[in-house]
Amino acid sequence: MQGETNQYIYRQIYTRLKEDILSFKYESHEKLPSKRGMAETLNVSVNSVKSAYEQLLAEGYIYAKERKGYFIEPLDQLIVDPDAQKTLGQYKEGKPQLYEYSFSHMSTDMSEFPVDVWTKLLKRVFDNYEYYLSAIPNIKGPIELRQSIAKLVSYQRGIQCHPEQIIIGSGTNTLLKRLMQLLPTEVKIGVENPGYSRFRNLLNEGGTTTIPLELDGKGISINQINATQPDAVIVTPSHQFPTGIIMPVSRRIDLLNWASTTNSYIIEDDYDSEFKYQTDNIPSLYSFDKNESVIYLGTFSKTLMPGLRLSYMILPPALVQKFETHNFDMIPDFSMLNALTLNLMIKEGYYEKYVKKMHQHYGRKREQLIVALQQAFQDKVNIKDTEAGLHFMIDVKSPFTYEEIEQRAKEAKLELYTINRFIVKALEENNGVKTLIIGFSKIKIEQLDDAVRCLKKVLLG
């Protein structure tokens, strides 16, 4: 108790002296009373005064002369601009929107996550990887994880690459930023329309020119690419986002030929290729490339969880040295603890086992959701099902506008996204047919019927 009292007294002395100094009640270089003299004046302990003086000394309000005592540091009057004194007024900290049901395309189902396995591996990282955890990480990420990813993409995505081509990052958005630093300043990037709006917004906010490219039945339009001639394009060939189109080999060859003849890059966003139902996985575009034109972006956000914040980029050999030179003194942004734990999860087979389990889990959920939608909406719905990924699109005949649908969903505590989130120019009525993106990863199987009933009420009234 006495210690707490001394601590409180020391703060009182420190605060009073600081305020007096800032109010210029002391002259510059004026000598303060000795510690014993101040203690006697205030009727406090010498230790309390000593602690207050030492804090003022550390912050630069006073200075000390050996065997002479403490003196006031010369200070200028702080200039205060009255116009700069802004207030946040009625600002309130934003709270996350709470939903009763979620058709989000951005989430994953955490109910099956092997928490015990992850915790066990995490402890092993603490026990065995002190040399990594106590130092600044390599900008590319730990070599062990890059080696594990190189093996993983070899047999899962048909990608042959060296671990030195792999860059670990805290998300594909962050990796795209790093990639843009390697490309010419005036580069023009073609983006799918509709497409992943976060990439488009990130590029636009960074001053990069983006060219919206429409889709046809095979994915991104090669005719529009030839007409606009971007310096690079970002594509989602294995499961176009958000339409779900799977790019056939003919379009892949057209795209690769365009890149090689124009000396351009293709940025392949392979965001959820692990989940393909009924048939085997579609090989990556990178695996077709023979001219080092493809830059590959992969993530663990869909297979594990978005909150893990671990993604990776595979660079063509020509860009590896440029990346190392540009980032030689940079500190990476990912969690080394998570990266090393993930490496053990992949290396020891837990990751593949979990993905297979979730593949079956999501497949069952998807099938039940489609049945529920068909029963609830009947001829008012057209389900654009490509049997891949963790979302699909639907067209629904609805009397409401897109804006009204979004508002009604919010009021019903239903997380729901329309096509307007992903296209460059928002649609208005679309002839009474509204296009929605239906994600099914987060919603629980036992909630499906209730969630579909809520969706029907939002869309049809």
Side-chain angles (χ1 to χ4, degrees):
M1 189 68 186
Q2 182 63 35
E4 292 180 7
T5 302
N6 287 339
Q7 180 76 0
Y8 177 67
I9 292 172
Y10 131 70
R11 292 299 302 181
Q12 282 187 314
I13 300 169
Y14 156 78
T15 301
R16 173 59 63 83
L17 285 172
K18 182 177 74 170
E19 290 174 351
D20 287 348
I21 293 170
L22 290 174
S23 299
F24 295 92
K25 293 180 180 178
Y26 289 94
E27 298 287 338
S28 295
H29 305 293
E30 181 178 342
K31 187 177 184 299
L32 285 171
S34 68
K35 288 177 286 187
R36 187 171 297 280
M38 179 69 81
E40 290 175 353
T41 301
L42 299 177
N43 193 27
V44 297
S45 71
V46 174
N47 283 339
S48 293
V49 176
K50 180 174 180 290
S51 296
Y53 278 12
E54 287 177 350
Q55 185 63 34
L56 291 167
L57 182 66
E59 294 182 25
Y61 290 99
I62 62 177
Y63 63 93
K65 288 184 178 180
E66 190 173 356
R67 296 183 180 179
K68 291 187 177 180
Y70 295 93
F71 299 83
I72 301 299
E73 187 75 39
L75 299 175
D76 288 334
Q77 181 77 42
L78 181 65
I79 298 173
V80 179
D81 181 356
D83 294 333
Q85 302 301 302
K86 303 298 182 183
T87 175
L88 292 177
Q90 299 301 311
Y91 174 80
K92 294 181 180 179
E93 185 176 351
K95 294 182 179 179
Q97 174 72 44
L98 298 179
Y99 298 102
E100 198 149 341
Y101 307 109
S102 173
F103 287 115
S104 170
H105 58 282
M106 298 177 283
S107 305
T108 57
D109 190 340
M110 289 293 297
S111 64
E112 303 292 327
F113 188 80
V115 177
D116 292 343
V117 170
W118 184 267
T119 303
K120 177 181 71 173
L121 299 177
L122 186 69
K123 185 178 184 305
R124 280 176 49 193
V125 169
F126 274 113
D127 292 341
N128 301 321
Y129 289 90
E130 182 183 345
Y131 62 96
Y132 268 142
L133 299 177
S134 62
I136 295 176
N138 184 307
I139 186 62
K140 291 183 179 180
I143 185 61
E144 291 90 339
L145 177 57
R146 289 185 279 131
Q147 288 170 337
S148 292
I149 291 174
K151 294 174 185 175
L152 189 70
V153 297
S154 175
Y155 67 80
Q156 284 193 351
R157 309 299 298 128
I159 293 174
Q160 300 302 315
C161 70
H162 193 280
E164 291 303 323
Q165 293 175 248
I166 298 175
I167 316 296
I168 308 298
S170 64
T172 50
N173 283 39
T174 300
L175 290 168
L176 182 61
K177 279 185 179 180
R178 291 198 181 277
L179 173 61
M180 295 310 299
Q181 295 168 352
L182 309 181
L183 302 181
T185 306
E186 302 300 322
V187 68
K188 295 181 295 182
I189 307 292
V191 294
E192 297 170 324
N193 185 34
Y196 186 44
S197 57
R198 292 182 193 272
F199 277 178
R200 186 176 68 242
N201 294 338
L202 180 151
L203 293 170
N204 289 337
E205 289 169 5
T208 299
T209 301
T210 58
I211 303 174
L213 300 171
E214 305 303 315
L215 309 175
D216 58 27
K218 296 182 177 181
I220 195 168
S221 169
I222 196 70
N223 290 333
Q224 286 212 351
I225 291 176
N226 287 326
T228 57
Q229 286 301 318
D231 301 296
V233 295
I234 303 178
V235 294
T236 48
S238 294
H239 186 225
Q240 200 282 327
F241 185 83
T243 67
I245 296 171
I246 296 175
M247 186 181 289
V249 66
S250 59
R251 180 58 51 84
R252 292 170 185 242
I253 291 173
D254 290 341
L255 197 54
L256 289 168
N257 286 343
W258 164 79
S260 62
T261 55
T262 60
N263 198 27
S264 304
Y265 281 116
I266 302 167
I267 302 168
E268 178 181 13
D269 179 16
D270 206 24
Y271 66 99
D272 71 353
S273 60
E274 294 84 359
F275 301 110
K276 181 74 175 70
Y277 313 104
Q278 309 303 327
T279 61
D280 290 339
N281 285 348
I282 305 299
S284 66
L285 184 63
Y286 190 104
S287 66
F288 283 87
D289 182 26
K290 306 301 179 186
N291 298 300
E292 299 181 358
S293 301
V294 179
I295 298 161
Y296 183 91
L297 295 175
T299 182
F300 294 98
S301 291
K302 296 294 186 181
T303 52
L304 295 177
M305 52 182 160
L308 187 64
R309 306 314 307 145
L310 280 175
S311 298
Y312 59 97
M313 174 169 63
I314 304 177
L315 293 175
L319 289 179
V320 173
Q321 183 61 54
K322 193 171 184 179
F323 176 88
E324 293 175 350
T325 301
H326 194 277
N327 294 279
F328 78 98
D329 62 347
M330 300 296 290
I331 297 176
D333 51 21
F334 59 85
S335 162
M336 177 59 79
L337 195 59
N338 284 342
L340 293 171
T341 306
L342 175 60
N343 170 59
L344 293 179
M345 191 176 188
I346 297 173
K347 187 176 180 180
E348 299 185 9
Y350 296 111
Y351 175 76
E352 188 174 8
K353 181 179 178 181
Y354 177 65
V355 171
K356 286 181 178 178
K357 179 180 180 180
M358 296 308 294
H359 186 280
Q360 296 175 351
H361 179 69
Y362 287 137
R364 290 192 300 270
K365 192 185 295 190
R366 173 185 153 276
E367 289 175 3
Q368 292 184 36
L369 176 57
I370 289 174
V371 170
L373 288 169
Q374 290 170 335
Q375 291 176 347
F377 289 90
Q378 298 183 14
D379 62 347
K380 288 184 171 63
V381 68
N382 175 33
I383 299 174
K384 300 177 179 180
D385 180 23
T386 53
E387 299 183 346
L390 301 180
H391 77 274
F392 51 79
M393 286 206 326
I394 64 172
D395 288 336
V396 179
K397 296 176 183 177
S398 172
F400 303 108
T401 66
Y402 280 110
E403 187 176 342
E404 287 171 338
I405 288 172
E406 290 164 2
Q407 182 59 37
R408 287 171 63 83
K410 186 176 181 180
E411 291 170 356
K413 295 185 178 180
L414 176 71
E415 188 172 14
L416 182 68
Y417 298 95
T418 73
I419 191 65
N420 277 351
R421 180 182 175 92
F422 311 103
I423 58 178
V424 173
K425 186 178 180 181
L427 297 175
E428 295 298 332
E429 289 304 312
N430 198 24
N431 298 322
V433 176
K434 304 302 181 297
T435 303
L436 309 173
I437 284 71
I438 303 296
F440 52 85
S441 56
K442 188 175 183 179
I443 195 166
K444 294 178 172 58
I445 288 180
E446 58 270 22
Q447 291 181 320
L448 286 177
D449 290 337
D450 290 339
V452 170
R453 278 193 287 270
C454 182
L455 177 65
K456 182 178 180 180
K457 186 175 180 181
V458 165
L459 296 177
L460 303 184

